Amino acid sequence: MTTALSERPANPVVGRAVPHESADLHVTGTALYTDDLLPRMPGALHAWPLQAPHAHARVRALRTDGALAVPGVVRVLTGADVPGLNDAGVRRDEPLFPDEVMYFGHAVCWVLGETLEAARLGADAVEVSYEPLPSLLTLTEAIEAQSFQGAQPIVARGDAAAGLARASHRFSGAIEFGGQEHFYLETHAAIAHLDEAGQVFVHSSTQHPSETQEIVAQVLGLRSHDVTVQCLRMGGGFGGKEWQPHGLAAVAALGAVLTGRPVRMRLNRTQDMTMTGKRHPFHATWEVGFDDEGRLEALRATLTSDGGWCLDLSEPVLQRALCHVDNAYFVPDVELAGRVALTNKTSQTAFRGFGGPQGMLVLEDILGRCAPLLGIDATELRRRNLYAPGQHTPYGQEVRHAERLRLVVDEVSERAGIDARRASVADFNAAHPHRKRGLALTPVKFGISFNHTAYNQAGALVHVYKDGSVLINHGGTEMGQGLHTKMRQVAATALGVPLGLVRLAPTRTDKVPNTSATAASTGADLNGGAVKDACEQIRARLLPVAADSLGADASDVRFSDGSVTAVGTAASVPWPVLVQEAYLRRTQLSAAGYYRTAGLHWDPIRMQGEPFKYFAYGAAVSELEVDGFTGMYRFLRTDIVHDAGDSLSPLVDLGQIEGGFVQGTGWLTLEELRWNTSDGEERGRLITQSASTYKLPSFSEMPLELHVHMLERATEDGVVYGSKAVGEPPLMLAFSIREALRHAVAAFGPAGHAVELACPSTPEAVFWAIETARQAGGA
């Protein structure tokens, strides 16, 4: 007995505001993470990397005798020890033990010691001869050198040249903006050991256990069935653990195979920041045209991402960036070209939004810069260009429920009282020559699904035990985002049992195989569909048993809140009693569920198709105050209206909306990655490699008032219980903060002054923008 994917039964457990399933464990410090398993591994060795002190160099010689003489050092792992393929990726461009150093901090070998200190001292004793080579560090250097990697896709519709030619107003410009460090609380970690049969078991802090399994097997020269990967939970991921855990897990597994002992690998904070990838920095050049009413006519842009030393996930990140340049706005004629720069830095990787925020920032920056030149209020300019029902994206997909864009914009405007506050801000600015306030509204349209269609599938394994308790396995991983909480609610709803009867087991590749990464905001959509499918198989098998027990027709049987009833009768059977009876009748009480997202197709060569199941919408209004002497600012208030469909778990989704907004604010205003770009010995060294030099948002940087409202009556057909993804889309709500900064800076200059604001828009960047505005006004 199956139901429509979005249909909710009476009295569902989904939609209830329940705490995170591990909340008590988190706050009491008893939640186990990968490295917490070390005490259970007696005799475990510790791995420590030897990081190269060059941005680019050839390894001429590697002498390990000194390390092996250090007390407690057991082995030094090098490329010569790899029995399989010496590569941590799938494109053969990511050697695990490199002969050519590609960035400052690149690990050339790993030392295994009885203690972490022994391994560290052993790494210090390894002698390496390097031949330094020329390096490229900045996007400007890479573009000048034409240093690119991977495909160079183009998204196009209509004739951009003709559109620009007919436009009444044409502008051009460029923008370059930085990356972002994931700074998850738990750094990368893995523990590998062998069982009595030689099977490799890896505990890994990974968002993609199946791919970690594949890479470990690839390095060891094994088949996937010889390797099991488990992820208990992660202390944050944000995309940084989608691709980059694989090689690190392979190091631990290689050490375990060669020594026969468990091997623990955990990067400290400095190692994690200097060895692993970040959000991609981007550079964009653009030319845009508007008609006399301020409506977009055409856009031509070239986006160049900094991919770092190897491709990693840079190609799909670039694809999603190109597919999100339009954000919430219709552009009739458009041509968007993309390319990935090869630089001598860490290999930049997935980060919440996966290129979408970078693409959207380009057009949001254009609108913010061009509004005063057009003589149109920036919020009004955005309103005039919002998608309307029936319109399509530049890559050919209809914008489904486009009316919700205007709905969220109107609702957040009303809730924020934007008209009255706009007047209040103008009065404040007129009365304060050295302090100015800014107010801005920005919308969000974000596509949900993997661009690569094959990844949009998931599996689940559900067991019902004789006492009525339920155990779920699914392919998604928990990194604090509440996925496991939602899956328990989905299972409880589908089976009609109380939430307390449902337990969730850790994610393991020998329970649910061939899983996709928990990424692209698809975790609940994909795994929820699979869990629901498995539960409905079990419920269908229980129906005839229930019908017999109740003396009713199977079509009249209802499962709800732990009781089984029938329409038209007062009789009921408790869930545990029904399950026991089903067991006695030899009914299968276990099921493997499967889900694949319907209706998707995508041509990555033509960059056309329908890659997304649906779009998530949102809008935010932010107000802030800027000090004209220092560029320092205070965030006064933010109002958010976000479309989460019919939320599976409102408390979890509220946390995701707030957290995404905060993380986006950090990227756009505070978090600045800096490398040594001098020609000295430390060229290529990451300067901001700790919390003391890398600025993270804290309570003091948050709005004094933060109001979040989820759009009501927003059921999404064709998605599990009518919900929508809420992991990534809220991050882009932070554009309202940056545009409010632009508004405040403009108030220091003359009317019609276009503010060019560096990104991240740190107080220093804001100060120089204020100086430019003042100079434009003759001050």
Side-chain angles (χ1 to χ4, degrees):
M1 176 182 167
T2 59
T3 60
L5 191 60
S6 60
E7 181 183 343
R8 294 190 177 191
N11 196 30
V13 179
V14 294
R16 298 181 190 174
V18 302
H20 189 286
E21 52 94 25
S22 294
D24 290 347
L25 301 180
H26 290 158
V27 299
T28 57
T30 52
L32 289 178
Y33 296 87
T34 296
D35 202 52
D36 294 324
L37 301 175
L38 184 63
R40 305 181 182 187
M41 305 284 177
L45 299 174
H46 302 259
W48 187 276
L50 174 58
Q51 296 180 258
H54 299 283
H56 192 198
R58 190 167 286 111
V59 178
R60 287 301 187 188
L62 186 66
R63 293 174 287 275
T64 62
D65 293 348
L68 295 173
V70 173
V73 169
V74 174
R75 184 146 188 166
V76 180
L77 302 180
T78 69
D81 294 312
V82 176
L85 185 64
N86 181 25
D87 199 280
V90 298
R91 297 181 179 87
R92 307 296 186 262
D93 67 341
E94 204 169 337
L96 187 59
F97 299 95
D99 295 324
E100 184 179 347
V101 170
M102 293 298 290
Y103 66 96
F104 197 107
H106 203 165
V108 295
C109 66
W110 290 74
V111 177
L112 306 181
E114 299 284 358
T115 64
L116 194 61
E117 180 66 3
R120 185 188 69 80
L121 293 174
D124 287 344
V126 174
E127 297 179 14
V128 187
S129 297
Y130 297 102
E131 177 191 345
L133 299 171
S135 60
L136 298 170
L137 294 178
T138 68
L139 273 168
T140 301
E141 291 173 351
I143 292 170
E144 289 178 354
Q146 293 292 290
S147 176
F148 303 115
Q149 55 184 328
Q152 298 190 15
I154 295 175
V155 172
R157 173 177 58 198
D159 188 334
L164 290 168
R166 72 170 179 269
S168 303
H169 306 276
R170 292 176 63 172
F171 308 100
S172 62
I175 180 174
E176 184 170 341
F177 44 94
Q180 186 178 20
E181 169 61 37
H182 299 89
F183 220 98
Y184 23 64
L185 292 179
E186 176 206 28
T187 58
H188 279 278
I191 299 176
H193 63 95
L194 307 183
D195 67 13
E196 71 282 357
Q199 298 281 307
V200 180
F201 195 100
V202 182
H203 298 275
S204 177
S205 181
T206 175
Q207 291 176 234
H208 198 172
S210 287
E211 196 163 67
T212 301
Q213 174 194 34
E214 292 167 16
I215 297 303
V216 169
Q218 171 180 288
V219 170
L220 297 179
L222 301 174
R223 305 294 292 271
S224 289
H225 68 195
D226 295 318
V227 178
T228 298
V229 173
Q230 173 173 293
C231 178
L232 279 175
R233 59 169 60 84
M234 287 168 278
F238 311 119
K241 296 176 181 176
E242 181 176 348
W243 181 281
Q244 310 233 334
H246 311 333
L248 300 170
V251 168
L254 177 62
V257 167
L258 293 178
T259 65
R261 296 170 61 178
V263 172
R264 170 247 197 175
M265 187 292 308
R266 184 183 69 83
L267 301 182
N268 63 33
R269 181 62 65 186
T270 299
Q271 290 168 338
D272 200 285
M273 293 186 73
T274 57
M275 291 175 64
T276 66
K278 295 98 176 59
R279 184 187 295 280
H280 288 71
F282 268 68
H283 175 276
T285 57
W286 52 266
E287 188 175 4
V288 68
F290 297 87
D291 67 14
D292 286 330
E293 300 299 318
R295 290 184 175 82
L296 287 158
E297 289 275 21
L299 173 65
R300 184 163 53 200
T302 297
L303 279 63
T304 306
S305 74
D306 184 345
W309 74 277
C310 67
L311 272 175
D312 195 282
L313 290 166
S314 294
E315 287 182 310
V317 165
L318 180 62
Q319 284 191 26
R320 184 169 279 263
L322 293 174
C323 289
H324 282 79
V325 169
D326 61 324
N327 190 13
Y329 314 109
F330 178 70
V331 187
D333 294 292
V334 60
E335 182 181 306
L336 307 170
R339 54 195 182 179
V340 180
L342 192 158
T343 60
N344 295 111
K345 290 193 286 195
T346 53
S347 181
Q348 316 317 353
T349 191
F351 199 126
R352 196 176 195 169
F354 203 79
Q358 294 97 310
M360 295 159 72
L361 179 57
V362 174
L363 188 48
E364 289 296 342
D365 187 71
I366 289 172
L367 294 176
R369 286 163 69 167
C370 293
L373 301 176
L374 292 165
I376 302 174
D377 174 75
T379 298
E380 177 59 25
L381 183 64
R382 289 182 166 89
R383 282 181 181 272
R384 292 183 190 181
N385 285 287
L386 290 175
Y387 273 109
Q391 291 179 331
H392 290 69
T393 65
Y395 48 88
Q397 179 161 358
E398 182 178 357
V399 182
R400 185 181 179 198
H401 296 318
E403 68 280 357
R404 290 191 188 179
L405 267 172
R406 200 163 297 277
L407 187 62
V408 295
V409 166
D410 289 345
E411 184 164 344
V412 79
S413 297
E414 181 179 347
R415 288 178 173 274
I418 193 170
D419 292 334
R421 287 170 61 197
R422 186 181 288 115
S424 176
V425 166
D427 291 343
F428 179 92
N429 289 346
H432 296 81
H434 303 302
R435 285 186 295 145
K436 303 293 182 183
R437 289 184 176 178
L439 182 70
L441 183 155
T442 57
V444 168
K445 172 185 70 66
F446 191 82
I448 303 298
S449 289
F450 289 98
N451 271 71
H452 185 52
T453 304
Y455 291 160
N456 295 287
Q457 59 176 306
L461 183 62
V462 175
H463 303 311
V464 176
Y465 294 98
K466 288 186 290 183
D467 63 356
S469 61
V470 181
L471 181 68
I472 308 171
N473 285 94
H474 65 87
T477 54
E478 175 64 47
M479 61 197 90
Q481 84 279 35
L483 176 61
H484 286 354
T485 305
K486 290 184 174 183
M487 294 306 96
R488 291 181 65 226
Q489 290 181 264
V490 167
T493 299
L495 292 172
V497 301
L499 187 61
L501 280 183
V502 183
R503 188 175 78 82
L504 207 142
T507 309
R508 281 175 57 140
T509 57
D510 61 351
K511 298 296 186 291
V512 180
N514 308 321
T515 59
S516 296
T518 305
S521 300
T522 62
D525 290 358
L526 296 178
N527 295 288
V531 168
K532 184 172 183 286
D533 177 52
C535 291
E536 289 185 339
Q537 291 178 47
I538 295 171
R539 194 179 65 193
R541 296 176 197 144
L542 293 174
L543 271 176
V545 181
D548 288 350
S549 299
L550 294 166
D553 188 90
S555 63
D556 292 329
V557 173
R558 301 292 183 267
F559 296 77
S560 181
D561 201 27
S563 294
V564 184
T565 60
V567 177
T569 176
S572 67
V573 177
W575 167 262
V577 173
L578 175 66
V579 170
Q580 179 67 27
E581 176 63 22
Y583 168 75
L584 293 174
R585 295 192 187 192
R586 296 185 295 178
T587 303
Q588 186 182 2
L589 296 173
S590 177
Y594 179 77
Y595 173 77
R596 52 178 287 181
T597 309
L600 305 180
H601 60 92
W602 178 245
D603 184 337
I605 305 302
R606 296 175 53 246
M607 292 290 284
Q608 293 290 308
E610 296 196 8
F612 305 123
K613 178 66 176 177
Y614 57 86
F615 295 99
Y617 303 113
V621 173
S622 290
E623 182 180 353
L624 48 76
E625 185 177 309
V626 173
D627 184 298
F629 292 115
T630 64
M632 297 289 288
Y633 39 76
R634 293 190 306 137
F635 302 149
L636 303 177
R637 175 175 168 178
T638 292
D639 294 83
I640 292 169
V641 172
H642 193 76
D643 173 16
D646 283 344
S647 173
L648 293 176
S649 194
L651 199 59
V652 167
D653 284 347
L654 177 63
Q656 286 294 290
I657 294 168
E658 292 176 343
F661 171 77
V662 169
Q663 195 166 53
T665 299
W667 170 52
L668 293 169
T669 65
L670 298 172
E671 300 180 45
E672 188 171 19
L673 291 161
R674 291 195 175 186
W675 279 265
N676 186 328
T677 56
S678 72
D679 293 327
E681 290 185 357
E682 293 201 337
R683 175 175 170 80
R685 177 179 175 269
L686 179 65
I687 299 170
T688 51
Q689 56 180 259
S690 68
S692 63
T693 52
Y694 184 76
K695 177 67 173 175
L696 292 164
S698 60
F699 285 119
S700 60
E701 281 85 32
M702 288 302 97
L704 299 178
E705 294 183 48
L706 178 59
H707 306 279
V708 177
H709 177 76
M710 283 183 271
L711 187 67
E712 298 171 6
R713 297 178 298 278
T715 301
E716 186 67 27
D717 293 336
V719 186
V720 61
Y721 290 128
S723 64
K724 274 190 173 183
V726 76
E728 293 171 304
L731 185 137
M732 283 71 79
L733 296 167
F735 289 143
S736 61
I737 289 285
R738 185 167 184 270
E739 291 307 306
L741 282 172
R742 191 194 305 276
H743 184 210
V745 170
F748 287 96
H753 172 65
V755 174
E756 295 188 19
L757 192 58
C759 192
S761 304
T762 61
E764 180 183 3
V766 170
F767 172 80
W768 290 115
I770 291 171
E771 289 295 291
T772 301
R774 284 172 168 159
Q775 290 170 11

